[in-house]
Amino acid sequence: MTWTYSARCSADKLSFFGASYGTRLGAIYAETFPQNVRAMVLDGAVDPTTGTTERRLVLFAGFQRAFDNMAAFCAKTPTCPLGTDPKQATAAFQQIVRPLIDKPIITADGRKVTYTAVIDGVTTGLYGETLWPAVIKAITELKSGSGKTLLLLRDILSQRNADGSYGNNYESLVAINCLDEERHTPEQESAMTRDIFKVAPFLDTGRPVNARDLCEHWRVKPTLGYPYAQNIKGLPKTLVVSVTRDPATPHEGGISLAKTLGASLLTVEGEQHGVALTPDSACVNDIVADYLIGLKIPADGARCVL
C-alpha cells in the first residue's frame, strides 16, 4: 500500500491529510490526541475494525476484482493476451506466468523476470484503470519472452532508480508491518496464503503452500491492537474519501472508518486507489479544499464520479 500523509499545525491544532497507510496514522492520532485535531482528511481507508488475516483477504479479493475488470476491458480486443473470454482470463494468466517459477526470463542486461516480479508488476498496474493498457502490454510481451514493460511496472513498486539502486520502500514496509500487524505461526501464515489464493486465484502458484511470517522472529512485539480508534470523544468532524472500486483499500473500509470516527463520507465512483489531492477529480478536490480551508462538511450522501 502507498503511505501518504501531510500535516500542518496552527494554534496547537493539527490539519492532517492521509492516504492509504496514512489513514491508519490519522486514525491512531485521532484516537490518541482528539483534542489536537482541527481537520482531518483520510483517503483510501485502512479498516480499523479488521485484523491482519481478514483485511488481507479483503485486499486481495479487491485485486482479483480489479484483475477481472482489467481482463474484461482487455477482452474487447481480439489481440488480448488473456483471450476474449474474461471468465478464462485467470487460467490464461496462470498458464503464461507459472512457468517463470522454474525458468525466469533473462533480459539483455541480465535482469531476471521471475514469477514474483510478474506478480509485483501486474499488481502495480491494477491500482488504477489508467494503468491497465500497460498491464496488457506487459502480459503480451511476456508471451513472446520479453519482460521490458513488466519490469518498468515493478520498478515503480520497488522504487528502482535509473542507476539500479532502490529506495527503502520494501524494508520500511516490513519494519512497520512487524509492529502493526498480528504475528502468525507458519501454520497460520500458510493457511492465510491458501485462503488468499482462493479469493485471488490469479496469484495462485499452483504449488504446495509452506509460508512463513516475515516478522516471525522480529524482536519487538506488535504494538497496534484491533480494533483501534474506537469510541473517540471530543474529535471534530473529519472527512473520509473512499473510491467505490478501490482495489487496495476497498470501499467497505472507507465506510467502516467513517462510521468509527463519526466522519462525513465522500463516496467517489471510480476504479483506482485513492483520489484526493490528485489531478483526477476537481469534484473531490473542491470538497476537500472547502473542508480543509473553511471546515465546510459536504452534505450527507455526497458523491463524485471519476
Side-chain angles (χ1 to χ4, degrees):
M1 67 178 65
T2 55
W3 308 346
T4 304
Y5 65 94
S6 62
R8 174 171 293 182
C9 295
S10 176
D12 299 323
K13 294 289 185 178
L14 180 79
S15 295
F16 181 93
F17 169 79
S20 196
Y21 183 82
T23 68
R24 180 180 279 176
L25 296 178
I28 293 297
Y29 187 90
E31 179 181 35
T32 309
F33 306 109
Q35 72 281 359
N36 291 352
V37 176
R38 172 189 171 272
M40 184 171 285
V41 177
L42 304 175
D43 179 26
V46 178
D47 191 337
T49 67
T50 59
T52 294
T53 296
E54 181 182 353
R55 188 172 55 259
R56 287 182 180 171
L57 290 176
V58 170
L59 180 151
F60 286 109
F63 276 112
Q64 179 67 48
R65 179 197 49 73
F67 179 89
D68 292 341
N69 289 346
M70 180 275 296
F73 169 80
C74 179
K76 295 176 182 179
T77 62
T79 57
C80 175
L82 300 174
T84 55
D85 181 0
K87 293 181 180 179
Q88 300 301 316
T90 290
F93 180 72
Q94 291 172 338
Q95 188 174 10
I96 295 167
V97 302
R98 282 179 175 178
L100 297 175
I101 298 174
D102 297 317
K103 190 177 180 181
I105 296 170
I106 308 299
T107 65
D109 58 355
R111 296 184 68 186
K112 286 186 177 181
V113 183
T114 63
Y115 176 86
T116 300
V118 171
I119 295 301
D120 287 348
V122 170
T123 301
T124 300
L126 296 177
Y127 271 85
E129 60 184 336
T130 58
L131 290 172
W132 289 354
V135 176
I136 294 166
K137 180 180 180 183
I139 297 172
T140 301
E141 291 175 354
L142 286 174
K143 292 184 71 173
S144 62
S146 170
K148 181 179 179 181
T149 300
L150 185 283
L151 288 178
L152 288 174
L153 287 169
R154 187 175 192 259
D155 289 348
I156 295 172
L157 181 70
S158 59
Q159 296 182 330
R160 188 176 192 271
N161 301 311
D163 62 1
S165 63
Y166 290 84
N168 69 345
N169 182 59
Y170 180 75
E171 290 81 3
S172 61
L173 175 65
V174 172
I176 291 169
N177 280 344
C178 286
L179 291 180
D180 280 0
E181 301 294 345
E182 298 166 299
R183 299 285 165 80
H184 286 159
T185 64
E187 293 76 18
Q188 290 171 325
E189 190 74 7
S190 296
M192 182 186 71
T193 301
R194 285 190 287 269
D195 287 340
I196 287 172
F197 287 167
K198 290 177 183 177
V199 300
F202 85 100
L203 300 173
D204 190 350
T205 62
R207 306 289 179 93
V209 175
N210 293 292
R212 302 294 289 265
D213 189 333
L214 287 174
C215 304
E216 183 179 342
H217 298 294
W218 200 265
R219 293 186 177 184
V220 181
K221 293 182 179 180
T223 57
L224 181 63
Y226 298 92
Y228 58 86
Q230 304 294 300
N231 304 313
I232 302 174
K233 296 181 179 179
L235 180 68
K237 198 71 170 181
T238 57
L239 177 63
V240 171
V241 182
S242 182
V243 180
T244 54
R245 296 184 300 281
D246 185 326
T249 51
H251 185 49
E252 293 78 9
I255 295 172
S256 176
L257 182 61
K259 182 178 180 181
T260 295
L261 298 181
S264 176
L265 175 66
L266 173 59
T267 299
V268 185
E269 295 284 349
E271 176 109 29
Q272 67 184 48
H273 178 46
V275 62
L277 304 187
T278 73
D280 299 320
S281 175
C283 172
V284 173
N285 289 338
D286 286 346
I287 291 173
V288 169
D290 285 345
Y291 168 70
L292 287 175
I293 296 170
L295 298 179
K296 180 181 178 182
I297 293 293
D300 291 343
R303 302 180 81 87
C304 293
V305 178
L306 293 181

